[in-house]
Amino acid sequence: MKKIEAIIRKSKFDDVKEALHNIEVNFFSYWDVTGVGNEKEGHVYRGISYSTTDIQRRYLTIVVSDDFLEKTVNAILESAYSGNVGDGKIFVSEVIEAYRIRTKEDGLAGIN
């Protein structure tokens, strides 16, 4: 099993959520987070300068079977892409075990 952590633009969240549901990833967790990015220049909008050092993002955590990893990562890559600085990051790590509390199932049965 793999754990996918994705940090994406908040404006792309609905697109990513739809892309994940389309490939039958129907369970994941997400949080609103603030991070610090590489971009050092501010932006001007309607004459007001805004700092871009603190960036509002959405953080997703998804656990999938090894077979589903590539499909899930590609869905996020395609749906979160804008081509601009700050599109986000995806991290993949190994999950040793998973349990469903209600049924006490473990392994893949614990996440499906």
Side-chain angles (χ1 to χ4, degrees):
M1 290 177 287
K2 301 290 190 229
K3 179 169 140 180
I4 302 166
E5 297 170 287
I7 302 168
I8 62 168
R9 295 176 182 276
K10 287 176 89 171
S11 62
K12 288 292 196 169
F13 177 71
D14 288 336
D15 295 338
V16 171
K17 183 169 70 169
E18 183 178 341
L20 291 171
H21 286 309
N22 287 341
I23 62 165
E24 298 180 358
V25 173
N26 295 312
F27 179 81
F28 57 90
S29 299
Y30 66 90
W31 300 265
D32 288 331
V33 296
T34 303
V36 178
N38 290 329
E39 190 173 358
K40 303 296 182 222
E41 297 177 16
H43 289 285
V44 177
Y45 178 72
R46 294 187 177 182
I48 300 171
S49 181
Y50 293 92
S51 170
T52 56
T53 56
D54 296 327
I55 303 167
Q56 298 294 312
R57 294 288 182 252
R58 193 144 284 166
Y59 185 98
L60 288 76
T61 300
I62 309 159
V63 177
V64 296
S65 67
D66 291 351
D67 297 346
F68 229 66
L69 174 64
E70 186 175 347
K71 185 186 240 187
T72 306
V73 168
N74 286 336
I76 297 167
L77 285 172
E78 292 298 318
S79 58
Y81 177 81
S82 77
N84 297 313
V85 172
D87 274 350
K89 305 264 190 248
I90 298 174
F91 306 99
V92 177
S93 56
E94 193 74 33
V95 173
I96 297 169
E97 190 59 85
Y99 297 91
R100 182 186 315 265
I101 295 172
R102 179 178 56 86
T103 62
K104 298 180 179 52
E105 295 171 296
D106 62 354
L108 289 177
I111 65 169
N112 292 328

